[in-house]
Amino acid sequence: MIFELSGGTTSKSPLRILPIFVNSVADILQSKFGLDIHPSVFSGKKDSTYLLQHHDQLVLLIGLGEDPELNEVEKSFRRILPKNSEIIQDKVTLDFAQDLDSKLIESALIGFSLGGYSFDFFKKEKDKKKDFQDLKVEINSNNESIQQIINRAEKISNAKIEAFKLVDLPPNVLTPTFLAEWAIKLEGKNGLKAIIFDQKKAKSERLEAFLAVSRGSAKEPKFIILEHRHPQAKFHLGLVGKGVTFDTGGLNIKTQGMVHMKSDMGGAAAVLATTQLIVDLNLPINLTSIVPAVENAVDKDSYLPSEVIQSHAGLSIEVIDTDAEGRLILADGLSYLVQNYSIDQVIDLATLTGSSVATFGYECGALFSNSEELSNSLQKAGLETYEKVWPLPMWENYRKEMDSEIADIKNYHGKPIAGAITAAKFLEAFIHEHPSWAHLDIAGVAYGDTEFSKTKSGTAFGVQLLLKFIENQL
């Protein structure tokens, strides 16, 4: 997809796309096309469309309603390409000539770009009508900052599409090595540095919990570190993303839903895509991102329920359930981050527990934090981007649920209650008392049913949330 600014002359593209508010339908249709359309046919209400022909050009009207929310604008524009592929040729015009807010234009451009995403990666014969890679998109706007809006929207949509792909690719392709190679390809952009620990290096760094989870897999684990440094950095943010590229549950094998467990690296996808976005935008922060990438498989070498394993933090862990593996690799990731970098804020993202889904459904992620300021900032950013997170308590009594008779801590309390909270309390034990840490359990929002695919797919949840969180502090 190639965006270009209008030269100021009347567009000659075969298709012109025009967003319209309810209160401006009559004026715009009359002034631009000399038409009167009865409100029962098209009134401009939210999610409505109307196709008309004006001279030799098709015009697609997109109803925005009266006061549209940005996520709804993004969805409206994401629908355009897949729902109108029959009339899409080599060029379209997005006509933002009316007085549209910059944020609205940005959301429209992001949505339109996302509409070109399809994950028919391995089809022998791909539908050419869904290939919009070379589509020229002419932008007509009076906004003085339109070029900056286009550039920013492209970077955001590119990052979200990368997050889509990372979750949607099958686990025989999306392996820990694939994620490591993805990170290496990003190296050098605006000075980004990629560091990859193989099994031997991870062992020497005492990442024992991380290595234990990978023991049953033929796919080598990779401990991925990305460092972005900016000379005018305002603060240093640390991100950790759970990267279980496929989760069988280990020897506590899953009895249902395993077909969807390629999505168990949704946290890693969000962290990697956000890192790409921060680097592309060259935001003035220092960023260190860590993705412990493993496959939790079943083999003669798989780690066992009742094992006691070690960890980077020096705490021994009694393994109660091998399907509580995400918190083990996060524990080493968090400990390594805090111990080796001077981080101002630490945020981890993980598709961690079904308990968070039971609490919030598919509406928002569960937020846990030891800092009220950090928690409030993440809630605010979530509401602004419609990637909502909401807090659950971190009371110390929940920590007692993780006490072990034989080790310093156990990885699962074995009860059908407070699962998301006790998982967060487990992670808290590995942050070395860092005063500003947040854990986002995104199990219900990183992957799911959407109108844009026939099967469950990645949502890129967390990318715009983290971007807004960062920019609110600049």
Side-chain angles (χ1 to χ4, degrees), residues 283-294:
L283 294 184
I285 70 165
N286 289 336
L287 175 67
T288 301
S289 299
I290 290 181
V291 170
V294 300

Side-chain angles (χ1 to χ4, degrees), residues 111-122:
F112 192 79
S113 298
L114 298 184
Y117 173 72
S118 172
F119 57 98
D120 55 350
F121 307 117
F122 304 102

Side-chain angles (χ1 to χ4, degrees), residues 228-239:
H228 167 69
R229 302 293 180 261
H230 195 284
Q232 284 86 46
K234 306 295 184 183
F235 58 94
H236 192 163
L237 175 65
L239 298 177

Side-chain angles (χ1 to χ4, degrees), residues 422-446:
T422 52
K425 293 303 290 184
F426 174 87
L427 294 177
E428 189 180 34
F430 297 88
I431 63 171
H432 301 280
E433 299 183 345
H434 192 285
S436 187
W437 160 73
H439 160 59
L440 304 183
D441 189 336
I442 59 173
V445 287

Side-chain angles (χ1 to χ4, degrees), residues 133-206:
Q133 183 175 349
D134 298 323
L135 178 66
K136 292 182 180 180
V137 183
E138 179 186 64
I139 310 296
N140 182 23
S141 173
N142 296 323
N143 192 303
E144 294 181 356
S145 303
I146 188 61
Q147 188 60 64
Q148 290 85 348
I149 295 171
I150 292 171
N151 293 342
R152 177 181 163 86
E154 284 188 291
K155 291 177 172 64
I156 294 172
S157 58
N158 287 342
K160 293 187 75 168
I161 287 172
E162 282 302 310
F164 290 164
K165 288 180 181 176
L166 291 175
V167 173
D168 291 337
L169 283 168
N172 57 318
V173 174
L174 197 289
T175 63
T177 296
F178 182 102
L179 291 179
E181 291 173 349
W182 186 98
I184 290 170
K185 289 177 184 176
L186 200 61
E187 186 169 32
K189 183 179 287 189
N190 284 329
L192 182 81
K193 182 179 180 181
I195 303 167
I196 311 297
F197 292 170
D198 60 11
Q199 208 159 355
K200 182 177 179 181
K201 178 63 174 174
K203 182 74 174 177
S204 71
E205 294 289 342
R206 310 185 322 279

Side-chain angles (χ1 to χ4, degrees), residues 14-80:
L15 177 64
R16 182 179 178 186
I17 299 166
L18 186 67
I20 297 183
F21 295 106
V22 165
N23 57 8
S24 63
V25 173
D27 290 342
I28 288 178
L29 290 179
Q30 185 58 237
S31 62
K32 286 183 177 290
F33 310 109
L35 294 175
D36 290 312
I37 298 178
H38 195 276
S40 63
V41 177
F42 179 75
S43 65
K45 69 178 182 180
K46 184 171 72 74
D47 295 335
S48 65
T49 63
Y50 186 74
L51 183 66
L52 61 90
Q53 184 166 357
H54 183 64
H55 301 309
D56 58 349
Q57 185 180 59
L58 290 176
V59 179
L60 180 63
L61 307 179
I62 305 294
L64 298 180
E66 293 184 9
D67 186 21
E69 296 181 338
L70 296 180
N71 65 322
E72 294 298 335
V73 173
E74 181 178 307
K75 286 181 183 178
S76 292
F77 274 77
R78 187 175 175 183
R79 296 183 187 113
I80 292 173

